[in-house]
Amino acid sequence: MNLAWREIRHNSGRFVFTGVGLGLLLGVVLSMIGIYRGMVVDALTIARTPDVDLWVVEANSRGPFAESSRIPGDTREAVARMPGVTAAGSVTYQSVEATAGGRKMRLYVIGYEPGRPGGPAEIIVGRGLGRSHFEIVADRSSKLVPGDVVTFGRDRYTVVGLTAYHVSSGGDPAAFVTLRDAQQFQAELDPAAVRLQAARGAGSGSIDTVSAVIARLAPAASVEAVAAGIARWKHLSAIAQADQEAILTGSHIDRARRQIGLFTGLLLAVSAVVIALIIYTMTMEKLKQIATLKLIGAPDRTITAMIVQQALALGLIGFFMGWALIVAIKDIFPRRIVLDTDNVTQLGIVIVAVCLLASGLGVRAALKVDPATALGG
Amino acid sequence: MAQERTPLVSVRGVSKHYGEGAARVDALKGVSIDIFPREVVALLGPSGSGKTTLLNVIGCIIDPSGGALDLDGERVFDNGKWLRDDLRRLRLEKIGFIFQAHNLLPFLDATDNVAVALELAGHSQSAARRRAVELLDYLEIGHRRDAMPAKLSGGEAQRVAIARALANSPRIILADEPTAALDSKRAQIVMELLRKLAAEQDASIIAVTHDEKIFGYFDRVCHLRDGVIEEETRVAPAGQSV
Ligand SMILES: Nc1ncnc2c1ncn2[C@@H]1O[C@H](COP(=O)(O)OP(=O)(O)OP(=O)(O)O)[C@@H](O)[C@H]1O
Ligand SMILES: [Mg+2]
């Protein structure tokens, strides 16, 4: 018979209660891991959405996400003409304060040219932007639905479609509008920039600036060669997609990432101590029964197996409860929780290791106990 | 006639003290006793005289301070140390314990408390349960075989514990007040059972008891006082039923 299982069954109420407690704790650990991963994935989603190879930005800037970047709107045509470039599009990025149905919200407005790179990867509800003015495709995390009217600047935009998981690195829902609309309200919100542009001689009152030009290359084209070609133009530099992603995760959200990472580490350490304590106490309470087992002749193997199996059972129950909990509630978090199978598996392995270590302590105590302890009468 | 055979238990000048210095208690002061197969021996004496200590030394549960111990013709303790490193295996195969407190495992029902000893000795799960039920029936406790220890009366629990002690047909049965929790009818059943076991299995029974009603079931009564055997009384010829 399996003594570990029999003992668990006998004290099932208590065991389940402990398992649920542990599950809550491990749920918190998992959610921290999920928040951490979600943050990285969110930051990358915005940069990966256009599915391009090269970002052309203002010279010496690391834009358009980590730093602001402003380049002339006609850059796109020049980039598109370069050998190896198969598609190019102008994009703008700007955070705005918007109002919808009396509700204020921050939106991360992305302006792009429909038909060129820069638009949302997938529309989950409604349709994409037509060529008309004042339409908007918003991320569903904004809680907007098609037909809603959103006001920013002086204009009213109608929601025509929704995307999923498009947010800024700060967590603001993305909102796609046409490039022309974006440039229009940018000018309204920031007339100084327009005056500056005029002073540079780009034509009086010109609003034709964009944050970046993104380019897709032919499979055979060399990213380095195209980038070097672009860098020869005075006011521009080019960032390869991989470098753009590195900027986003390595520097832009780096501090927040490290903060959460450290906290997750601490939480893991606390959980390890709690698991160890639970298992150790569980064993200490059974010392007299273990002494009895020794007295009737149970070998160390039997006693060790009992303790280790119980420790693993507890750890795994806690782990799966925590996992189930997070999967059940992850959508009510304001920001995305991403649980890769990899991360979950790693945590599972850590839990198993902690349980084994902790049961090692219990086993040591159990093997040391004098069988005479069982007599005590 | 018993003297011609090798004793099953041979205690030679065993001493045992607990603690050191001012706290030192000499529980056994050079005890020697031979117990032969089929003998049923009682240990008698006032509280604190060393009965439990002697029983535990024979059961290889506590380390003697000096002397020698032979079990079944094999020297197991001498010169201050155990000569076997698998004392638990030795206990499993040769020694059955009936404790003063029943010491049943609280998480197993009556049947499994007995079966666990059988499984540890290598019986299959089903064989162990079958034999456990037989033993419980034999001790007239079969109707409580599915009960958890917490639900058993003291006497019922004690009978389950006895069944567990007998499970592997040990040749040495050590009992600390085995009948203290039983009424006189059950006490007699247990003693008859122990006698029968001694006869059929060629076993030795050593029991600590204060229970005068069962004195008649013993071949020998050893009186302990202050850690020494003061006198031995031969009650009935060895191997003969009362
Ligand atoms: N673990 C121990 N540590 C210290 N002293 C002990 C220990 N166990 C027993 N003693 C002492 O050894 C002496 C003999 O104890 P033992 O338990 O053998 O007596 P007993 O004859 O079984 O008594 P009782 O009839 O009360 O059960 C007693 O003085 C007791 O206090
Ligand atoms: Mg005693």
Side-chain angles (χ1 to χ4, degrees):
Chain A
M1 74 191 76
N2 183 312
L3 294 175
W5 166 237
R6 300 296 293 271
E7 215 253 344
I8 289 174
R9 216 176 53 178
H10 183 63
N11 293 316
S12 57
R14 201 181 137 193
F15 193 83
V16 167
F17 192 65
T18 313
V20 169
L22 198 55
L24 289 173
L25 182 62
L26 294 179
V28 174
V29 174
L30 270 171
S31 67
M32 283 319 289
I33 294 175
I35 288 169
Y36 175 93
R37 288 289 308 148
M39 193 163 172
V40 172
V41 171
D42 272 352
L44 290 177
T45 303
I46 277 293
R48 281 181 181 165
T49 297
D51 189 22
V52 293
D53 302 301
L54 209 58
W55 296 72
V56 180
V57 297
E58 193 175 323
N60 303 321
S61 99
R62 304 202 304 152
F65 305 109
E67 284 181 288
S68 77
S69 156
R70 195 162 268 181
I71 59 176
D74 55 11
T75 309
R76 196 247 305 148
E77 282 137 51
V79 171
R81 276 197 300 273
M82 296 210 42
V85 174
T86 57
S90 294
V91 283
T92 63
Y93 296 91
Q94 190 175 20
S95 288
V96 301
E97 198 71 41
T99 323
R103 186 163 60 94
K104 279 203 175 305
M105 64 178 85
R106 279 180 70 77
L107 291 177
Y108 189 57
V109 176
I110 301 172
Y112 76 104
E113 302 166 281
R116 296 214 163 87
E122 194 191 351
I123 306 287
I124 56 162
V125 178
R127 60 171 173 86
L129 298 181
R131 300 240 167 220
S132 63
H133 260 322
F134 303 129
E135 286 186 348
I136 185 169
V137 168
D139 190 76
R140 67 171 173 197
S141 64
S142 65
K143 302 273 181 345
L144 294 168
V145 293
D148 280 356
V149 172
V150 188
T151 313
F152 47 85
R154 280 188 228 123
D155 306 311
R156 290 156 55 84
Y157 291 79
T158 306
V159 178
V160 296
L162 298 181
T163 61
Y165 301 130
H166 286 71
V167 299
S168 74
S169 57
D172 298 332
F176 293 88
V177 298
T178 61
L179 185 69
R180 288 172 53 135
D181 284 349
Q183 288 175 324
Q184 190 66 47
F185 82 76
Q186 212 161 17
E188 287 160 12
L189 292 177
D190 190 6
V194 180
R195 280 200 302 278
L196 183 68
Q197 201 62 34
R200 277 185 186 169
S204 82
S206 165
I207 54 164
D208 193 14
T209 64
V210 298
S211 301
V213 168
I214 49 183
R216 232 170 258 161
L217 305 186
S222 147
V223 176
E224 290 79 22
V226 178
I230 289 169
R232 272 199 292 279
W233 287 323
K234 239 189 185 162
H235 303 297
L236 304 178
S237 41
I239 301 171
Q241 176 68 21
D243 296 330
Q244 184 65 265
E245 291 181 11
I247 288 170
L248 274 167
T249 53
S251 97
H252 189 48
I253 58 164
D254 185 47
R255 197 159 277 137
R257 202 170 64 113
R258 286 214 316 262
Q259 176 105 343
I260 294 178
L262 187 66
F263 186 67
T264 309
L266 272 177
L267 214 51
L268 255 179
V270 170
S271 312
V273 170
V274 169
I275 293 176
L277 269 177
I278 291 174
I279 290 170
Y280 187 67
T281 321
M282 228 163 67
T283 311
M284 296 316 274
E285 283 171 356
K286 280 199 287 286
L287 277 189
K288 183 156 181 198
Q289 293 159 30
I290 287 166
T292 304
L293 279 169
K294 282 185 171 183
L295 207 58
I296 60 176
D300 288 348
R301 180 167 30 88
T302 306
I303 292 159
T304 307
M306 177 171 171
I307 295 169
V308 171
Q309 285 166 6
Q310 287 192 347
L312 285 179
L314 190 67
L316 290 178
I317 284 182
F319 173 69
F320 284 111
M321 285 211 170
W323 192 5
L325 175 75
I326 289 315
V327 169
I329 66 165
K330 74 179 164 116
D331 289 334
I332 63 177
F333 279 79
R335 288 201 62 178
R336 191 168 169 195
I337 304 287
V338 175
L339 283 177
D340 305 338
T341 333
D342 272 8
N343 295 124
V344 176
T345 313
Q346 279 161 10
L347 181 68
I349 291 169
V350 168
I351 304 288
V352 167
V354 167
C355 288
L356 288 179
L357 273 176
S359 53
L361 286 178
V363 166
R364 235 176 67 119
L367 295 188
K368 269 206 314 227
V369 72
D370 187 347
T373 321
L375 299 168
Chain B
M1 76 173 212
Q3 272 74 359
E4 292 152 21
R5 294 185 289 165
T6 334
L8 205 46
V9 175
S10 176
V11 179
R12 294 269 136 265
V14 162
S15 60
K16 171 69 188 175
H17 63 84
Y18 296 102
E20 292 298 338
R24 176 171 166 137
V25 179
D26 283 289
L28 296 177
K29 304 169 185 165
V31 171
S32 296
I33 183 173
D34 283 337
I35 298 156
F36 292 87
R38 301 185 185 208
E39 262 194 315
V40 182
V41 176
L43 292 179
L44 213 64
S47 180
S49 57
K51 306 181 295 289
T52 299
T53 305
L54 178 57
L55 213 57
N56 289 349
V57 165
I58 296 171
C60 311
I61 294 169
I62 58 177
D63 308 339
S65 309
L69 174 68
D70 292 7
L71 295 179
D72 205 2
E74 180 189 349
R75 171 104 351 152
V76 294
F77 186 91
D78 206 354
N79 288 325
K81 62 174 190 296
W82 294 103
L83 305 178
R84 280 183 64 148
D85 48 15
D86 56 344
L87 290 177
R88 262 181 257 170
R89 191 81 216 160
L90 182 78
R91 282 203 289 270
L92 188 61
E93 286 166 359
K94 298 218 163 122
I95 305 171
F97 287 96
I98 302 167
F99 309 110
Q100 211 161 358
H102 62 71
N103 274 16
L104 295 176
L105 295 170
F107 54 87
L108 298 180
D109 65 21
T111 309
D112 282 335
N113 258 290
V114 179
V116 72
L118 288 154
E119 279 190 38
L120 285 172
H123 290 77
S124 75
Q125 195 165 326
S126 55
R129 277 190 69 90
R130 222 174 314 119
R131 169 132 171 83
V133 170
E134 271 170 32
L135 276 161
L136 291 173
D137 283 341
Y138 195 52
L139 287 165
E140 294 184 25
I141 189 74
H143 60 289
R144 300 289 279 146
R145 64 173 173 238
D146 295 327
M148 300 306 279
K151 298 271 158 63
L152 295 173
S153 75
E156 288 171 337
Q158 186 65 327
R159 276 180 281 161
V160 175
I162 293 171
R164 181 173 69 185
L166 303 183
N168 290 313
S169 314
R171 291 199 61 205
I172 302 164
I173 293 169
L174 306 174
D176 205 342
E177 313 222 15
T179 58
L182 305 181
D183 59 39
S184 60
K185 178 177 166 265
R186 295 259 146 61
Q188 284 170 14
I189 291 172
V190 167
M191 286 314 297
E192 265 160 27
L193 183 73
L194 290 179
R195 280 209 70 87
K196 188 169 154 217
L197 201 86
E200 287 176 359
Q201 312 276 336
D202 225 16
S204 301
I205 319 274
I206 306 157
V208 172
T209 187
H210 292 118
D211 189 352
E212 291 177 18
K213 292 191 293 294
I214 61 167
F215 283 175
Y217 288 90
F218 292 97
D219 302 316
R220 262 201 287 166
V221 177
C222 299
H223 296 266
L224 264 130
R225 182 177 291 278
D226 290 336
V228 290
I229 294 182
E230 244 183 4
E231 63 164 317
E232 285 195 32
T233 339
R234 192 156 288 279
V235 179
Q240 195 173 309
S241 225
V242 176

